[in-house]
Amino acid sequence: MSCFDGLLEFCSIYKYIYCYGAGYIGEIVGDFLHKYGIELKGYIETEKSKDYLNNVKVYSLEEIALNLNNEIGIIVSLDEKYHDTILLNLSKY
């Protein structure tokens, strides 16, 4: 199974998909998901820097944190050097 197959399988598990990261990598992931018919519910940034990316809403972590539940899958879509910090931020919620 390729990493792309794994990503598509991950998305099939959840009702709502968000990308944590609204930069270059997040945009690539969003485009990939769109190509395969997966609707991205939104992007998440620790501190929101824009309202939309490619017509998809961008949320701050604080905005989305209160609504996190088992129906939401989050794809970490930013440089690997930020992964530990992002996972720590998400684990608080």
Side-chain angles (χ1 to χ4, degrees), residues 11-49:
C11 292
S12 72
I13 296 169
Y14 297 95
K15 185 173 183 178
Y16 306 107
I17 299 294
Y18 290 84
C19 281
Y20 200 125
Y24 176 72
I25 297 172
E27 186 172 14
I28 290 171
V29 172
D31 289 345
F32 173 82
L33 296 177
H34 179 75
K35 178 180 174 183
Y36 284 90
I38 297 169
E39 178 187 351
L40 192 60
K41 186 71 174 170
Y43 291 93
I44 303 169
E45 294 185 309
T46 304
E47 294 181 24
K48 189 165 101 171
S49 65

Side-chain angles (χ1 to χ4, degrees), residues 48-61:
K48 189 165 101 171
S49 65
K50 58 189 110 188
D51 291 325
Y52 290 90
L53 175 62
N54 293 339
N55 297 317
V56 178
K57 181 117 172 89
V58 177
Y59 299 90
S60 70
L61 179 56

